[in-house]
Amino acid sequence: MSFILQGIGVSGGIAIGHAHLAAPAALEVIHYLVPKNQIKREIARLEMAFAVVRKEFESLQKSVADGHARAEFSAFLDLHLMILDDPMLSEAASSMITQTNCNAEWALTQQAQVLLAQFEEIEDAYLRERKADVMQVVERVLKAMMGHPGYLPIASKHTGDSILVAHDLSPADVMQYKQHQFVAFLTDLGSQTSHTAIVARSLNIPSIVALHHAHQLILEDDCLIVDGTQGIIIVNPDKYVLDEYRLRQGQLELEKKKLQRLRSVTAVTLDGTPVDLYANIELPEDIEQVKHSGATGIGLFRSEFLFMNRDDLPDEEEQFEAYRIVAVKMHKQPVVIRTFDLGADKNIRGSTQVAANPALGLRAIRLSLAEPKMFHAQLRAILRASKFGDVRILVPMLSNVAEIDQTLHLIEYAKQTLRDDKLHFDEHIKVGGMIEIPAAALSLDIFMRKLDFLSIGTNDLIQYTLAVDRIDDTVAHLYDPLHPAILWLVSHIIQSANRAQVPVSICGEMAGDMQFTRLLLGFGLQQFSMYPAQLLTVKNQVLKSHLPDILPLVQKIIKTDQPEKLAALLARLND
Ligand code: PEP
Ligand code: MG
């Protein structure tokens, strides 16, 4: 049966392929092939996880026997031990690894599905309810396995035309999928500027989030058309629709190829205003794409991704090497390294988010200042890399003068330790601040006095100004870059910085959205940083823009508070 689902397109383009379903929400795990010579190790990893959980249960049972826990807890533990010892789970998962070369997490969750299906058939309502216990036991084993990560996935059997359909993916999950050959990503949850969407976008494949029931409605191997621009999936399309989309896909490819001609063209408006178009990256490997995009610098290196998907923290040496490689490969073009913006939805493995409102909690610079040793290692690494190119430091989520002063003080201290160690660095390294909290936007003077440059993080600025959680799809309709308050704040920051002659850029998703290019040029912006795949489209728009023509319309837009009128004016501006 053919049907259509609508979500929020977060990365444009058309993909045609076959669905590959990730396991259901609570048991969502990554699937990859393990090389033959690692199979034994993979089975040992699974067995070790079972042993760890068994030990946990046994010690809990002992505490019941010692009278430290309530007696009914004992029956519950017996049941969990029974599930744990069920050969359907452990033995069948081991055989599956041997037979299909899959990773242990995948084998375990697949067997859990078989077991759950059997519970579903049971007539006794009480026993049927025990499905939740199976899930809990499996989750516990999965957690134990996370402490013993397996072979890093290098290839999936789903190559060529597989489309990943998941209920939800964390930014860390998507990072892992960077090494796979999926042609599109679909998730039930998510929103336009969630970090998951940002990473998906950087993969340069069509992605749609907020599809709500896609994971339930789509079956493994269903044929899918994914239109990332419109946010639409067509499931099991008929031949005519397939032909139509293949044609459109071909046209898009052609347009992309044409845009490639602009790669080495200087970005300048028709009236001669030069514009810097920089790239956002997550890892040094992204430089390939940056080169392809013709970016003239890195405007945002989200360094926190170096800290994710691993059990340890990258030390100074490892970070130095990552930053040095980027600096060298960019050949003296600017490389803006943002100090780690961990917390909220980007966490290091094993950290347990306990805050009720993590986006308002210990995140970004707040976490850095609370973890001075970790911050010091990063600052030294960035400073040492500054010897190899035009490296700059960018500090995320600053909200007050005390944070600026403390950060500058710690940078100075890191410099001093390097001098003591006789290690070289750029003594005049530029330090900038992200303006992503309304309080910072409204007290710009102090930021401009103390910092060398500003970078507007519109993703968070919108989230915090409109009080809309950027990762919650239930309020995604309220996340509005064209809200009059946002337009006022963004233009205020740009114009204030321009007046004070402090360089200012935008590195949030607004910078890469072509419908805002002229609006931002009209606000006076001359530095944009975005995901590389979008850069040539924005450059094309810059090349076709004439500032004196734009300004009157931009003035009108900023004074308009009627959404329909504003949309019409924006359409005229982009005509
Ligand atoms: C932003 O908030 O706009 C930004 C660029 O930072 P991030 O998306 O990583 O929070
Ligand atoms: Mg941000």
Side-chain angles (χ1 to χ4, degrees), residues 193-195 198 280 300 302 304-305 338 341 345-346 363 396 434-436 455-464 470 479 506-510 529:
T193 58
S194 60
H195 285 103
I198 289 170
N280 293 351
L300 175 67
R302 288 184 163 98
E304 59 275 13
F305 282 89
R338 175 172 76 183
D341 180 4
D345 60 339
K346 290 177 290 191
R363 182 193 158 184
M434 288 195 73
I435 304 298
E436 41 190 358
S455 188
I456 311 175
T458 47
N459 305 338
D460 278 315
L461 187 63
I462 298 169
Q463 151 163 277
Y464 295 131
R470 64 192 265 197
Y479 190 95
I506 291 188
C507 60
E509 298 303 288
M510 267 183 103
S529 191

Side-chain angles (χ1 to χ4, degrees), residues 57-108:
F57 286 161
E58 283 166 0
S59 87
L60 282 168
Q61 257 181 340
K62 190 170 174 304
S63 65
V64 177
D66 292 348
H68 297 309
R70 290 159 63 113
E72 53 269 42
F73 193 56
S74 179
F76 158 81
L77 278 173
D78 284 344
L79 175 68
H80 277 210
L81 265 167
M82 245 172 66
I83 296 171
L84 191 73
D85 288 333
D86 190 327
M88 284 272 306
L89 214 53
S90 55
E91 285 174 25
S94 295
S95 335
M96 191 176 169
I97 297 174
T98 314
Q99 282 159 18
T100 67
N101 292 8
C102 68
N103 55 313
E105 291 88 346
W106 182 256
L108 178 64

Side-chain angles (χ1 to χ4, degrees), residues 2-6 13-19 161 163 165 183-186 206-208 211 218 221-249 252:
S2 178
F3 59 95
I4 293 178
L5 295 172
Q6 170 89 54
I14 291 170
I16 300 173
H18 290 91
D161 78 341
I163 293 171
V165 186
V183 295
F185 275 94
L186 307 173
S207 312
I208 304 179
L211 284 156
I218 295 173
D221 280 333
D222 269 351
C223 174
L224 304 179
I225 294 175
V226 178
D227 183 339
T229 314
Q230 302 298 327
I232 285 174
I233 329 170
I234 305 173
V235 185
N236 295 324
D238 64 31
K239 179 185 171 315
Y240 300 103
V241 177
L242 255 177
D243 287 348
E244 168 69 24
Y245 272 90
R246 287 218 169 95
L247 194 74
R248 281 199 219 171
Q249 201 180 22
L252 283 179

Side-chain angles (χ1 to χ4, degrees), residues 12 24 43 50 124 137 189 214 227 285 311 336 338 357 372 478 498:
I43 292 175
F50 270 89
D124 183 308
V137 171
L189 304 185
D227 183 339
E285 293 90 283
D311 293 319
V336 178
R338 175 172 76 183
N357 294 307
L478 298 172
N498 284 348

Side-chain angles (χ1 to χ4, degrees), residues 364-375:
I365 188 61
R366 300 168 181 187
L367 181 66
S368 304
L369 295 176
E371 297 286 348
K373 250 173 107 175
M374 194 170 149
F375 195 32

Side-chain angles (χ1 to χ4, degrees), residues 92-375:
S94 295
S95 335
M96 191 176 169
I97 297 174
T98 314
Q99 282 159 18
T100 67
N101 292 8
C102 68
N103 55 313
E105 291 88 346
W106 182 256
L108 178 64
T109 51
Q110 293 308 295
Q111 289 316 311
Q113 298 307 313
V114 177
L115 201 57
L116 288 172
Q118 290 192 353
F119 270 79
E120 195 69 65
E121 314 239 300
I122 297 175
E123 280 192 12
D124 183 308
Y126 173 79
L127 283 177
R128 219 174 30 243
E129 286 304 307
R130 304 287 56 83
K131 272 169 54 183
D133 295 279
V134 175
M135 299 273 278
Q136 283 166 7
V137 171
V138 171
E139 277 174 7
R140 227 172 158 121
V141 179
L142 282 174
K143 255 192 208 146
M145 239 182 296
M146 277 172 201
H148 304 273
Y151 173 79
L152 191 68
I154 49 164
S156 157
K157 82 171 192 209
H158 302 277
T159 51
D161 78 341
S162 279
I163 293 171
L164 187 79
V165 186
H167 179 67
D168 193 16
L169 292 173
S170 71
D173 292 332
V174 184
M175 268 328 262
Q176 291 211 328
Y177 284 124
K178 269 198 172 194
Q179 299 162 62
H180 290 247
Q181 302 291 313
F182 291 107
V183 295
F185 275 94
L186 307 173
T187 62
D188 288 346
L189 304 185
S191 59
Q192 185 74 27
T193 58
S194 60
H195 285 103
T196 303
I198 289 170
V199 181
R201 216 168 273 145
S202 78
L203 300 182
N204 196 13
I205 52 175
S207 312
I208 304 179
V209 299
L211 284 156
H212 301 294
H213 302 295
H215 192 259
Q216 264 176 307
L217 297 173
I218 295 173
L219 303 178
E220 182 79 17
D221 280 333
D222 269 351
C223 174
L224 304 179
I225 294 175
V226 178
D227 183 339
T229 314
Q230 302 298 327
I232 285 174
I233 329 170
I234 305 173
V235 185
N236 295 324
D238 64 31
K239 179 185 171 315
Y240 300 103
V241 177
L242 255 177
D243 287 348
E244 168 69 24
Y245 272 90
R246 287 218 169 95
L247 194 74
R248 281 199 219 171
Q249 201 180 22
Q251 284 166 343
L252 283 179
E253 280 306 313
L254 216 66
E255 278 171 31
K256 252 194 194 168
K257 275 207 183 108
K258 271 198 213 154
L259 276 178
Q260 270 300 314
R261 293 184 204 148
L262 299 180
R263 218 175 99 174
S264 45
V265 173
T266 308
V268 58
T269 59
L270 286 172
D271 54 291
T273 308
V275 178
D276 293 321
L277 298 180
Y278 294 159
N280 293 351
I281 62 167
E282 280 103 36
L283 291 174
E285 293 90 283
D286 297 336
I287 290 290
E288 286 293 309
Q289 254 203 75
V290 173
K291 292 285 172 194
H292 202 64
S293 75
T296 50
I298 304 292
L300 175 67
F301 181 167
R302 288 184 163 98
S303 71
E304 59 275 13
F305 282 89
L306 293 173
F307 295 69
M308 291 156 69
N309 286 324
R310 54 191 294 163
D311 293 319
D312 55 351
L313 295 175
D315 62 10
E316 176 187 323
E317 228 31 60
E318 185 185 332
Q319 288 188 65
F320 162 63
E321 195 47 27
Y323 306 144
R324 190 191 66 82
I325 288 173
V326 176
V328 168
K329 290 199 171 163
M330 289 309 291
H331 302 295
K332 305 252 184 265
Q333 287 177 321
V335 174
V336 178
I337 301 176
R338 175 172 76 183
T339 58
F340 57 81
D341 180 4
L342 289 164
D345 60 339
K346 290 177 290 191
N347 289 295
I348 39 182
R349 198 177 264 163
S351 75
T352 39
Q353 270 287 2
V354 283
N357 294 307
L360 302 181
L362 199 60
R363 182 193 158 184
I365 188 61
R366 300 168 181 187
L367 181 66
S368 304
L369 295 176
E371 297 286 348
K373 250 173 107 175
M374 194 170 149
F375 195 32

